[in-house]
Amino acid sequence: VQLQASGGGLVQPGGSLRLSCEASGLAFSTYNMGWFRQAPGKEREFVCGVFRRTARTFYADSVKGRFTCPRDDAKDAVYLQMSSLRPEDTAVYYCGATENVVFDKNAYDYWGQGTLVTVSS
């Protein structure tokens, strides 16, 4: 199983960025997918999750209204569309796959390698 995250980089405050996570080796449509982030010196925190079948999404309060995380089961991919980025969004972003709840990082079965997002002028 492999989750390949990509799309990170340097962006100015107020800017936008889209991260991608492409899965291989698993029955993607049967998994809930999530995005987490980890800033230096902090724990990995939930950002956004999207359910299998319904594609219902859930967001951390800190990103609600600014981020979306759609999935494309035909491409075995999940995305994190980020807008109105702030310096405090700077972190390594990880995608994960879980058959359980999307909010709990300990419930995830598989993780991608992470991609760094830096928000700075």
Side-chain angles (χ1 to χ4, degrees):
V1 175
Q2 187 173 17
L3 300 178
Q4 184 69 43
S6 62
L10 174 64
V11 61
Q12 291 187 343
S16 299
L17 205 60
R18 188 177 88 148
L19 307 183
S20 299
C21 175
E22 298 181 353
S24 59
L26 81 167
F28 182 82
S29 65
T30 69
Y31 282 82
N32 299 322
M33 300 299 295
W35 287 94
F36 284 69
R37 66 187 181 187
Q38 188 165 15
K42 295 187 177 181
E43 290 194 1
R44 191 173 297 192
E45 65 174 6
F46 171 76
V47 174
C48 152
V50 55
F51 277 6
R52 58 194 169 204
R53 291 194 291 274
T54 65
R56 183 178 177 186
T57 51
F58 298 86
Y59 300 94
D61 287 343
S62 59
V63 306
K64 206 169 290 184
R66 301 188 298 122
F67 292 11
T68 63
C69 60
R71 64 187 295 158
D72 187 339
D73 287 354
K75 296 183 178 180
D76 289 353
V78 62
Y79 306 96
L80 184 64
Q81 180 66 51
M82 305 181 290
S83 60
S84 302
L85 282 160
R86 305 166 181 168
E88 54 264 38
D89 294 318
T90 295
V92 177
Y93 284 72
Y94 297 90
C95 62
T98 177
E99 295 185 302
N100 299 294
V101 295
V102 297
F103 310 104
D104 182 1
K105 61 180 181 291
N106 296 313
Y108 277 72
D109 302 292
Y110 306 104
W111 288 102
Q113 84 286 5
T115 185
L116 176 63
V117 173
T118 303
V119 184
S120 175
S121 54

